[in-house]
mmCIF file of all heavy atoms in Angstrom:
data_model
loop_
_atom_site.group_PDB
_atom_site.id
_atom_site.type_symbol
_atom_site.label_atom_id
_atom_site.label_comp_id
_atom_site.label_asym_id
_atom_site.label_seq_id
_atom_site.Cartn_x
_atom_site.Cartn_y
_atom_site.Cartn_z
ATOM 1 N N TYR A 19 0.850 -1.205 0.033
ATOM 2 C CA TYR A 19 -0.051 -0.071 -0.002
ATOM 3 C C TYR A 19 0.857 1.232 0.068
ATOM 4 O O TYR A 19 1.905 1.273 0.527
ATOM 5 C CB TYR A 19 -0.967 -0.007 1.226
ATOM 6 C CG TYR A 19 -1.760 1.223 1.245
ATOM 7 C CD1 TYR A 19 -2.893 1.268 0.512
ATOM 8 C CD2 TYR A 19 -1.586 2.165 2.204
ATOM 9 C CE1 TYR A 19 -3.730 2.461 0.418
ATOM 10 C CE2 TYR A 19 -2.377 3.366 2.246
ATOM 11 C CZ TYR A 19 -3.406 3.485 1.285
ATOM 12 O OH TYR A 19 -4.219 4.557 1.414
ATOM 13 N N ASN A 20 0.415 2.279 -0.528
ATOM 14 C CA ASN A 20 1.070 3.586 -0.577
ATOM 15 C C ASN A 20 2.257 3.530 -1.543
ATOM 16 O O ASN A 20 3.313 4.111 -1.173
ATOM 17 C CB ASN A 20 1.397 4.109 0.824
ATOM 18 C CG ASN A 20 1.405 5.512 0.917
ATOM 19 O OD1 ASN A 20 0.777 6.281 0.166
ATOM 20 N ND2 ASN A 20 2.099 6.133 1.911
ATOM 21 N N ARG A 21 2.133 2.835 -2.708
ATOM 22 C CA ARG A 21 3.234 2.795 -3.677
ATOM 23 C C ARG A 21 3.414 4.080 -4.241
ATOM 24 O O ARG A 21 4.468 4.525 -4.661
ATOM 25 C CB ARG A 21 2.851 1.826 -4.737
ATOM 26 C CG ARG A 21 3.853 1.569 -5.733
ATOM 27 C CD ARG A 21 3.510 0.408 -6.662
ATOM 28 N NE ARG A 21 2.291 0.445 -7.334
ATOM 29 C CZ ARG A 21 2.141 -0.124 -8.494
ATOM 30 N NH1 ARG A 21 3.046 -0.770 -9.100
ATOM 31 N NH2 ARG A 21 0.893 0.019 -9.170
ATOM 32 N N PHE A 22 2.402 4.898 -4.342
ATOM 33 C CA PHE A 22 2.503 6.352 -4.836
ATOM 34 C C PHE A 22 2.048 7.268 -3.894
ATOM 35 O O PHE A 22 0.999 7.114 -3.183
ATOM 36 C CB PHE A 22 1.679 6.497 -6.227
ATOM 37 C CG PHE A 22 2.115 5.507 -7.329
ATOM 38 C CD1 PHE A 22 1.346 4.468 -7.650
ATOM 39 C CD2 PHE A 22 3.208 5.712 -8.106
ATOM 40 C CE1 PHE A 22 1.770 3.571 -8.729
ATOM 41 C CE2 PHE A 22 3.626 4.920 -8.996
ATOM 42 C CZ PHE A 22 2.892 3.813 -9.382
ATOM 43 N N GLU A 23 2.665 8.449 -3.740
ATOM 44 C CA GLU A 23 2.378 9.444 -2.721
ATOM 45 C C GLU A 23 2.421 10.743 -3.428
ATOM 46 O O GLU A 23 3.416 11.064 -4.170
ATOM 47 C CB GLU A 23 3.259 9.355 -1.579
ATOM 48 C CG GLU A 23 2.713 9.813 -0.321
ATOM 49 C CD GLU A 23 3.658 9.502 0.876
ATOM 50 O OE1 GLU A 23 4.813 9.724 0.814
ATOM 51 O OE2 GLU A 23 3.011 9.009 1.834
ATOM 52 N N GLY A 24 1.468 11.606 -3.308
ATOM 53 C CA GLY A 24 1.531 12.933 -3.931
ATOM 54 C C GLY A 24 1.477 12.807 -5.487
ATOM 55 O O GLY A 24 2.076 13.634 -6.158
ATOM 56 N N TRP A 25 0.818 11.847 -6.004
ATOM 57 C CA TRP A 25 0.850 11.524 -7.363
ATOM 58 C C TRP A 25 0.265 12.691 -8.240
ATOM 59 O O TRP A 25 0.838 13.020 -9.270
ATOM 60 C CB TRP A 25 -0.157 10.354 -7.643
ATOM 61 C CG TRP A 25 -0.120 9.647 -8.951
ATOM 62 C CD1 TRP A 25 -1.173 9.761 -9.827
ATOM 63 C CD2 TRP A 25 0.880 8.885 -9.583
ATOM 64 N NE1 TRP A 25 -0.792 9.023 -11.011
ATOM 65 C CE2 TRP A 25 0.456 8.600 -10.820
ATOM 66 C CE3 TRP A 25 2.241 8.593 -9.290
ATOM 67 C CZ2 TRP A 25 1.189 7.811 -11.752
ATOM 68 C CZ3 TRP A 25 2.939 7.836 -10.144
ATOM 69 C CH2 TRP A 25 2.457 7.492 -11.386
ATOM 70 N N SER A 26 -0.731 13.351 -7.818
ATOM 71 C CA SER A 26 -1.355 14.458 -8.594
ATOM 72 C C SER A 26 -0.415 15.725 -8.475
ATOM 73 O O SER A 26 -0.320 16.557 -9.371
ATOM 74 C CB SER A 26 -2.788 14.680 -8.174
ATOM 75 O OG SER A 26 -2.775 15.011 -6.809
ATOM 76 N N GLU A 27 0.143 15.893 -7.367
ATOM 77 C CA GLU A 27 0.961 17.118 -7.134
ATOM 78 C C GLU A 27 2.288 17.024 -7.818
ATOM 79 O O GLU A 27 2.864 18.032 -8.135
ATOM 80 C CB GLU A 27 1.144 17.464 -5.618
ATOM 81 C CG GLU A 27 -0.098 17.784 -4.852
ATOM 82 C CD GLU A 27 -0.795 16.646 -4.310
ATOM 83 O OE1 GLU A 27 0.013 15.599 -3.920
ATOM 84 O OE2 GLU A 27 -2.007 16.623 -4.252
ATOM 85 N N LYS A 28 2.815 15.854 -7.955
ATOM 86 C CA LYS A 28 4.200 15.744 -8.533
ATOM 87 C C LYS A 28 4.164 15.333 -9.874
ATOM 88 O O LYS A 28 5.130 14.616 -10.315
ATOM 89 C CB LYS A 28 5.004 14.627 -7.624
ATOM 90 C CG LYS A 28 5.184 15.019 -6.322
ATOM 91 C CD LYS A 28 5.874 14.019 -5.430
ATOM 92 C CE LYS A 28 6.095 14.411 -4.048
ATOM 93 N NZ LYS A 28 6.733 13.369 -3.146
ATOM 94 N N ARG A 29 3.125 15.647 -10.646
ATOM 95 C CA ARG A 29 3.113 15.400 -12.099
ATOM 96 C C ARG A 29 3.237 13.956 -12.403
ATOM 97 O O ARG A 29 4.103 13.675 -13.240
ATOM 98 C CB ARG A 29 3.945 16.276 -12.826
ATOM 99 C CG ARG A 29 3.701 17.766 -12.748
ATOM 100 C CD ARG A 29 4.615 18.532 -13.560
ATOM 101 N NE ARG A 29 4.330 19.944 -13.432
ATOM 102 C CZ ARG A 29 3.731 20.684 -14.443
ATOM 103 N NH1 ARG A 29 3.426 20.127 -15.560
ATOM 104 N NH2 ARG A 29 3.480 21.916 -14.293
ATOM 105 N N ARG A 30 2.621 13.026 -11.772
ATOM 106 C CA ARG A 30 2.582 11.629 -11.957
ATOM 107 C C ARG A 30 3.974 10.985 -11.646
ATOM 108 O O ARG A 30 4.361 9.980 -12.188
ATOM 109 C CB ARG A 30 2.250 11.334 -13.375
ATOM 110 C CG ARG A 30 0.823 11.864 -13.744
ATOM 111 C CD ARG A 30 -0.114 10.866 -13.446
ATOM 112 N NE ARG A 30 -1.482 11.114 -13.981
ATOM 113 C CZ ARG A 30 -2.650 10.974 -13.336
ATOM 114 N NH1 ARG A 30 -2.556 10.569 -12.163
ATOM 115 N NH2 ARG A 30 -3.718 11.241 -13.923
ATOM 116 N N ARG A 31 4.776 11.692 -10.903
ATOM 117 C CA ARG A 31 6.192 11.092 -10.549
ATOM 118 C C ARG A 31 6.178 10.888 -9.036
ATOM 119 O O ARG A 31 7.306 10.956 -8.541
ATOM 120 C CB ARG A 31 7.250 12.009 -11.016
ATOM 121 C CG ARG A 31 7.330 11.976 -12.558
ATOM 122 C CD ARG A 31 8.433 13.019 -12.930
ATOM 123 N NE ARG A 31 8.898 13.004 -14.301
ATOM 124 C CZ ARG A 31 8.073 12.925 -15.375
ATOM 125 N NH1 ARG A 31 6.689 12.808 -15.362
ATOM 126 N NH2 ARG A 31 8.735 12.989 -16.631
ATOM 127 N N GLY A 32 5.179 10.666 -8.380
ATOM 128 C CA GLY A 32 5.202 10.659 -6.938
ATOM 129 C C GLY A 32 5.386 9.227 -6.302
ATOM 130 O O GLY A 32 4.646 8.797 -5.562
ATOM 131 N N LYS A 33 6.396 8.526 -6.813
ATOM 132 C CA LYS A 33 6.646 7.098 -6.264
ATOM 133 C C LYS A 33 7.203 7.218 -4.848
ATOM 134 O O LYS A 33 8.074 7.982 -4.634
ATOM 135 C CB LYS A 33 7.659 6.402 -7.120
ATOM 136 C CG LYS A 33 7.131 5.834 -8.476
ATOM 137 C CD LYS A 33 7.882 4.574 -8.896
ATOM 138 C CE LYS A 33 7.118 3.912 -9.901
ATOM 139 N NZ LYS A 33 7.620 2.624 -10.374
ATOM 140 N N ASN A 34 6.571 6.471 -3.960
ATOM 141 C CA ASN A 34 7.031 6.356 -2.692
ATOM 142 C C ASN A 34 8.147 5.328 -2.426
ATOM 143 O O ASN A 34 7.997 4.131 -2.890
ATOM 144 C CB ASN A 34 5.787 6.024 -1.779
ATOM 145 C CG ASN A 34 6.058 5.981 -0.295
ATOM 146 O OD1 ASN A 34 7.270 6.333 0.138
ATOM 147 N ND2 ASN A 34 5.060 5.709 0.463
ATOM 148 N N SER A 35 9.284 5.741 -1.872
ATOM 149 C CA SER A 35 10.410 4.874 -1.805
ATOM 150 C C SER A 35 10.155 3.707 -0.660
ATOM 151 O O SER A 35 10.936 2.718 -0.538
ATOM 152 C CB SER A 35 11.734 5.715 -1.556
ATOM 153 O OG SER A 35 11.518 6.331 -0.264
ATOM 154 N N SER A 36 9.230 4.030 0.211
ATOM 155 C CA SER A 36 8.976 2.982 1.294
ATOM 156 C C SER A 36 7.503 2.725 1.492
ATOM 157 O O SER A 36 6.904 3.252 2.558
ATOM 158 C CB SER A 36 9.697 3.527 2.684
ATOM 159 O OG SER A 36 9.146 4.723 2.878
ATOM 160 N N PRO A 37 6.947 1.996 0.566
ATOM 161 C CA PRO A 37 5.485 1.747 0.694
ATOM 162 C C PRO A 37 5.408 0.716 1.870
ATOM 163 O O PRO A 37 6.172 0.096 2.338
ATOM 164 C CB PRO A 37 5.070 1.074 -0.562
ATOM 165 C CG PRO A 37 6.374 0.499 -1.191
ATOM 166 C CD PRO A 37 7.502 1.421 -0.673
ATOM 167 N N ILE A 38 4.065 0.546 2.413
ATOM 168 C CA ILE A 38 3.772 -0.361 3.393
ATOM 169 C C ILE A 38 3.566 -1.779 2.625
ATOM 170 O O ILE A 38 2.797 -1.975 1.749
ATOM 171 C CB ILE A 38 2.367 0.035 4.064
ATOM 172 C CG1 ILE A 38 2.579 1.310 4.760
ATOM 173 C CG2 ILE A 38 1.966 -1.141 4.955
ATOM 174 C CD1 ILE A 38 1.200 1.868 5.319
ATOM 175 N N ILE A 39 4.400 -2.711 3.143
ATOM 176 C CA ILE A 39 4.313 -4.017 2.580
ATOM 177 C C ILE A 39 4.357 -5.077 3.815
ATOM 178 O O ILE A 39 5.197 -5.057 4.624
ATOM 179 C CB ILE A 39 5.743 -4.368 1.760
ATOM 180 C CG1 ILE A 39 5.810 -3.571 0.589
ATOM 181 C CG2 ILE A 39 5.776 -5.830 1.385
ATOM 182 C CD1 ILE A 39 6.946 -3.624 -0.289
ATOM 183 N N THR A 40 3.299 -5.887 3.836
ATOM 184 C CA THR A 40 3.013 -6.664 4.969
ATOM 185 C C THR A 40 2.292 -8.022 4.456
ATOM 186 O O THR A 40 1.610 -7.976 3.430
ATOM 187 C CB THR A 40 2.253 -6.023 6.125
ATOM 188 O OG1 THR A 40 2.072 -6.682 7.281
ATOM 189 C CG2 THR A 40 0.756 -5.644 5.525
ATOM 190 N N GLU A 41 2.275 -8.935 5.344
ATOM 191 C CA GLU A 41 1.545 -10.218 5.114
ATOM 192 C C GLU A 41 0.097 -9.870 5.100
ATOM 193 O O GLU A 41 -0.356 -9.317 5.972
ATOM 194 C CB GLU A 41 1.890 -11.301 6.068
ATOM 195 C CG GLU A 41 1.418 -12.675 5.736
ATOM 196 C CD GLU A 41 1.803 -13.662 6.812
ATOM 197 O OE1 GLU A 41 2.740 -13.563 7.478
ATOM 198 O OE2 GLU A 41 0.978 -14.732 6.940
ATOM 199 N N GLY A 42 -0.567 -10.438 3.961
ATOM 200 C CA GLY A 42 -2.040 -10.221 3.958
ATOM 201 C C GLY A 42 -2.850 -11.167 4.632
ATOM 202 O O GLY A 42 -2.469 -12.184 4.991
ATOM 203 N N LYS A 43 -4.119 -10.815 4.901
ATOM 204 C CA LYS A 43 -5.128 -11.604 5.488
ATOM 205 C C LYS A 43 -5.806 -12.510 4.507
ATOM 206 O O LYS A 43 -6.728 -13.240 4.792
ATOM 207 C CB LYS A 43 -6.173 -10.825 6.226
ATOM 208 C CG LYS A 43 -5.670 -9.955 7.264
ATOM 209 C CD LYS A 43 -5.762 -10.583 8.582
ATOM 210 C CE LYS A 43 -5.264 -9.586 9.656
ATOM 211 N NZ LYS A 43 -4.927 -10.123 10.920
ATOM 212 N N HIS A 44 -5.445 -12.404 3.114
ATOM 213 C CA HIS A 44 -6.169 -13.148 2.172
ATOM 214 C C HIS A 44 -5.267 -14.294 1.776
ATOM 215 O O HIS A 44 -4.117 -14.426 2.025
ATOM 216 C CB HIS A 44 -6.358 -12.139 0.972
ATOM 217 C CG HIS A 44 -5.197 -11.635 0.309
ATOM 218 N ND1 HIS A 44 -4.498 -10.547 0.893
ATOM 219 C CD2 HIS A 44 -4.398 -11.994 -0.691
ATOM 220 C CE1 HIS A 44 -3.412 -10.270 0.159
ATOM 221 N NE2 HIS A 44 -3.412 -11.107 -0.843
ATOM 222 N N GLU A 45 -5.917 -15.188 0.920
ATOM 223 C CA GLU A 45 -5.271 -16.400 0.566
ATOM 224 C C GLU A 45 -4.321 -16.166 -0.685
ATOM 225 O O GLU A 45 -4.878 -15.341 -1.578
ATOM 226 C CB GLU A 45 -6.221 -17.575 0.240
ATOM 227 C CG GLU A 45 -5.669 -18.815 -0.035
ATOM 228 C CD GLU A 45 -6.804 -19.959 -0.280
ATOM 229 O OE1 GLU A 45 -7.871 -19.711 0.167
ATOM 230 O OE2 GLU A 45 -6.446 -20.935 -0.968
ATOM 231 N N ALA A 46 -3.300 -16.618 -0.766
ATOM 232 C CA ALA A 46 -2.354 -16.393 -1.975
ATOM 233 C C ALA A 46 -2.884 -17.217 -3.125
ATOM 234 O O ALA A 46 -3.285 -18.380 -2.902
ATOM 235 C CB ALA A 46 -0.919 -16.672 -1.724
ATOM 236 N N ILE A 47 -2.658 -16.711 -4.389
ATOM 237 C CA ILE A 47 -2.917 -17.544 -5.638
ATOM 238 C C ILE A 47 -1.689 -18.291 -6.031
ATOM 239 O O ILE A 47 -1.830 -19.448 -6.574
ATOM 240 C CB ILE A 47 -3.503 -16.605 -6.651
ATOM 241 C CG1 ILE A 47 -4.874 -16.065 -6.345
ATOM 242 C CG2 ILE A 47 -3.502 -17.319 -8.077
ATOM 243 C CD1 ILE A 47 -5.467 -15.097 -7.287
ATOM 244 N N ILE A 48 -0.537 -17.544 -5.857
ATOM 245 C CA ILE A 48 0.759 -18.254 -6.318
ATOM 246 C C ILE A 48 1.629 -18.314 -5.012
ATOM 247 O O ILE A 48 1.321 -17.770 -4.127
ATOM 248 C CB ILE A 48 1.520 -17.385 -7.321
ATOM 249 C CG1 ILE A 48 1.771 -16.078 -6.866
ATOM 250 C CG2 ILE A 48 0.669 -17.397 -8.594
ATOM 251 C CD1 ILE A 48 2.882 -15.267 -7.572
ATOM 252 N N SER A 49 2.555 -19.339 -5.040
ATOM 253 C CA SER A 49 3.467 -19.564 -3.956
ATOM 254 C C SER A 49 4.491 -18.329 -3.821
ATOM 255 O O SER A 49 4.855 -17.691 -4.857
ATOM 256 C CB SER A 49 4.229 -20.871 -4.167
ATOM 257 O OG SER A 49 4.975 -20.753 -5.289
ATOM 258 N N LEU A 50 5.091 -18.182 -2.750
ATOM 259 C CA LEU A 50 6.090 -17.299 -2.462
ATOM 260 C C LEU A 50 7.242 -17.595 -3.422
ATOM 261 O O LEU A 50 8.081 -16.644 -3.809
ATOM 262 C CB LEU A 50 6.597 -17.165 -1.019
ATOM 263 C CG LEU A 50 5.647 -16.457 -0.134
ATOM 264 C CD1 LEU A 50 6.149 -16.478 1.300
ATOM 265 C CD2 LEU A 50 5.669 -14.873 -0.510
ATOM 266 N N GLU A 51 7.682 -18.786 -3.561
ATOM 267 C CA GLU A 51 8.665 -19.280 -4.473
ATOM 268 C C GLU A 51 8.459 -18.743 -5.920
ATOM 269 O O GLU A 51 9.439 -18.236 -6.582
ATOM 270 C CB GLU A 51 8.979 -20.722 -4.499
ATOM 271 C CG GLU A 51 9.410 -21.297 -3.171
ATOM 272 C CD GLU A 51 8.216 -21.489 -2.190
ATOM 273 O OE1 GLU A 51 7.066 -21.669 -2.595
ATOM 274 O OE2 GLU A 51 8.481 -21.470 -1.012
ATOM 275 N N MET A 52 7.368 -18.887 -6.318
ATOM 276 C CA MET A 52 6.975 -18.453 -7.698
ATOM 277 C C MET A 52 7.088 -16.901 -7.740
ATOM 278 O O MET A 52 7.608 -16.322 -8.754
ATOM 279 C CB MET A 52 5.517 -19.010 -8.152
ATOM 280 C CG MET A 52 5.068 -18.370 -9.446
ATOM 281 S SD MET A 52 5.997 -19.025 -10.885
ATOM 282 C CE MET A 52 5.211 -20.536 -11.238
ATOM 283 N N TRP A 53 6.608 -16.226 -6.708
ATOM 284 C CA TRP A 53 6.638 -14.709 -6.786
ATOM 285 C C TRP A 53 8.110 -14.278 -6.761
ATOM 286 O O TRP A 53 8.429 -13.386 -7.588
ATOM 287 C CB TRP A 53 5.969 -14.364 -5.481
ATOM 288 C CG TRP A 53 6.241 -12.816 -5.143
ATOM 289 C CD1 TRP A 53 7.037 -12.434 -4.123
ATOM 290 C CD2 TRP A 53 5.874 -11.662 -5.907
ATOM 291 N NE1 TRP A 53 7.091 -11.059 -4.206
ATOM 292 C CE2 TRP A 53 6.338 -10.617 -5.224
ATOM 293 C CE3 TRP A 53 5.158 -11.552 -7.036
ATOM 294 C CZ2 TRP A 53 6.193 -9.298 -5.686
ATOM 295 C CZ3 TRP A 53 4.855 -10.247 -7.521
ATOM 296 C CH2 TRP A 53 5.417 -9.095 -6.907
ATOM 297 N N GLU A 54 8.912 -14.938 -6.046
ATOM 298 C CA GLU A 54 10.341 -14.573 -6.028
ATOM 299 C C GLU A 54 10.995 -14.810 -7.306
ATOM 300 O O GLU A 54 11.902 -14.094 -7.766
ATOM 301 C CB GLU A 54 11.198 -15.247 -4.911
ATOM 302 C CG GLU A 54 10.713 -14.892 -3.456
ATOM 303 C CD GLU A 54 10.943 -13.436 -3.191
ATOM 304 O OE1 GLU A 54 11.879 -12.762 -3.717
ATOM 305 O OE2 GLU A 54 10.309 -12.767 -2.383
ATOM 306 N N LYS A 55 10.709 -16.005 -7.913
ATOM 307 C CA LYS A 55 11.292 -16.323 -9.236
ATOM 308 C C LYS A 55 10.935 -15.271 -10.310
ATOM 309 O O LYS A 55 11.756 -14.793 -11.063
ATOM 310 C CB LYS A 55 10.854 -17.688 -9.663
ATOM 311 C CG LYS A 55 11.329 -18.184 -10.948
ATOM 312 C CD LYS A 55 11.042 -19.574 -11.349
ATOM 313 C CE LYS A 55 11.465 -20.023 -12.575
ATOM 314 N NZ LYS A 55 11.066 -21.293 -12.962
ATOM 315 N N VAL A 56 9.627 -15.006 -10.361
ATOM 316 C CA VAL A 56 9.092 -14.057 -11.352
ATOM 317 C C VAL A 56 9.601 -12.636 -11.047
ATOM 318 O O VAL A 56 10.063 -11.839 -11.974
ATOM 319 C CB VAL A 56 7.519 -14.010 -11.336
ATOM 320 C CG1 VAL A 56 6.972 -12.798 -12.038
ATOM 321 C CG2 VAL A 56 7.093 -15.272 -12.037
ATOM 322 N N LYS A 57 9.693 -12.250 -9.831
ATOM 323 C CA LYS A 57 10.265 -11.004 -9.495
ATOM 324 C C LYS A 57 11.755 -10.795 -9.903
ATOM 325 O O LYS A 57 12.110 -9.734 -10.475
ATOM 326 C CB LYS A 57 10.109 -10.764 -7.956
ATOM 327 C CG LYS A 57 10.526 -9.455 -7.418
ATOM 328 C CD LYS A 57 10.243 -9.437 -5.902
ATOM 329 C CE LYS A 57 11.037 -8.447 -5.141
ATOM 330 N NZ LYS A 57 10.930 -8.422 -3.750
ATOM 331 N N ALA A 58 12.495 -11.865 -9.739
ATOM 332 C CA ALA A 58 13.929 -11.769 -10.054
ATOM 333 C C ALA A 58 14.086 -11.790 -11.639
ATOM 334 O O ALA A 58 14.970 -11.168 -12.129
ATOM 335 C CB ALA A 58 14.691 -13.089 -9.540
ATOM 336 N N LEU A 59 13.220 -12.517 -12.310
ATOM 337 C CA LEU A 59 13.183 -12.534 -13.743
ATOM 338 C C LEU A 59 12.877 -11.173 -14.272
ATOM 339 O O LEU A 59 13.473 -10.762 -15.195
ATOM 340 C CB LEU A 59 12.277 -13.541 -14.344
ATOM 341 C CG LEU A 59 12.669 -14.950 -14.710
ATOM 342 C CD1 LEU A 59 11.621 -15.863 -15.072
ATOM 343 C CD2 LEU A 59 13.724 -14.775 -15.854
ATOM 344 N N PHE A 60 11.876 -10.530 -13.741
ATOM 345 C CA PHE A 60 11.459 -9.080 -14.169
ATOM 346 C C PHE A 60 12.576 -8.146 -13.990
ATOM 347 O O PHE A 60 12.837 -7.319 -14.808
ATOM 348 C CB PHE A 60 10.006 -8.790 -13.394
ATOM 349 C CG PHE A 60 9.586 -7.535 -13.948
ATOM 350 C CD1 PHE A 60 8.834 -7.579 -15.244
ATOM 351 C CD2 PHE A 60 9.769 -6.341 -13.223
ATOM 352 C CE1 PHE A 60 8.339 -6.236 -15.700
ATOM 353 C CE2 PHE A 60 9.281 -5.172 -13.772
ATOM 354 C CZ PHE A 60 8.590 -5.159 -14.990
ATOM 355 N N ALA A 61 13.176 -8.233 -12.783
ATOM 356 C CA ALA A 61 14.200 -7.243 -12.478
ATOM 357 C C ALA A 61 15.505 -7.431 -13.377
ATOM 358 O O ALA A 61 15.938 -6.495 -13.841
ATOM 359 C CB ALA A 61 14.620 -7.480 -11.002
ATOM 360 N N LYS A 62 15.705 -8.717 -13.809
ATOM 361 C CA LYS A 62 16.732 -9.078 -14.674
ATOM 362 C C LYS A 62 16.502 -8.450 -16.186
ATOM 363 O O LYS A 62 17.319 -7.965 -16.741
ATOM 364 C CB LYS A 62 16.968 -10.460 -14.828
ATOM 365 C CG LYS A 62 18.188 -10.952 -15.705
ATOM 366 C CD LYS A 62 18.253 -12.466 -15.515
ATOM 367 C CE LYS A 62 19.153 -13.115 -16.467
ATOM 368 N NZ LYS A 62 19.225 -14.612 -16.464
ATOM 369 N N LYS A 63 15.183 -8.634 -16.593
ATOM 370 C CA LYS A 63 14.754 -8.214 -17.925
ATOM 371 C C LYS A 63 14.453 -6.714 -18.011
ATOM 372 O O LYS A 63 14.607 -6.145 -19.102
ATOM 373 C CB LYS A 63 13.570 -8.949 -18.330
ATOM 374 C CG LYS A 63 13.695 -10.478 -18.603
ATOM 375 C CD LYS A 63 12.384 -10.994 -19.096
ATOM 376 C CE LYS A 63 12.483 -12.448 -19.460
ATOM 377 N NZ LYS A 63 11.184 -12.996 -20.033
ATOM 378 N N SER A 64 13.993 -6.162 -16.984
ATOM 379 C CA SER A 64 13.553 -4.779 -17.008
ATOM 380 C C SER A 64 14.504 -3.728 -16.514
ATOM 381 O O SER A 64 15.000 -3.954 -15.460
ATOM 382 C CB SER A 64 12.200 -4.661 -16.198
ATOM 383 O OG SER A 64 11.783 -3.319 -16.209
#
């Protein structure tokens, strides 16, 4: 949550460097291993 902050005031460049990231109360669709694998692949490609 709070990935963007001041989005409208900063001309769409209001990325927050420290968003809230926590374990959710909902059930996951994919495993954490799959998430980490895809995240690493995306970081490598992008």
Side-chain angles (χ1 to χ4, degrees):
Y19 180 72
N20 211 20
R21 185 169 56 150
F22 300 106
E23 208 169 47
W25 187 251
S26 58
E27 295 90 30
K28 295 181 182 176
R29 296 183 179 250
R30 302 269 191 226
R31 287 176 172 49
K33 278 207 169 189
N34 185 359
S35 59
S36 57
I38 297 170
I39 297 176
T40 186
E41 186 178 336
K43 301 260 186 202
H44 61 282
E45 190 178 337
I47 293 177
I48 60 162
S49 67
L50 279 174
E51 294 80 27
M52 174 65 86
W53 165 249
E54 291 299 331
K55 180 178 181 180
V56 167
K57 186 175 157 185
L59 267 171
F60 186 78
K62 185 177 170 184
K63 287 182 178 182
S64 175

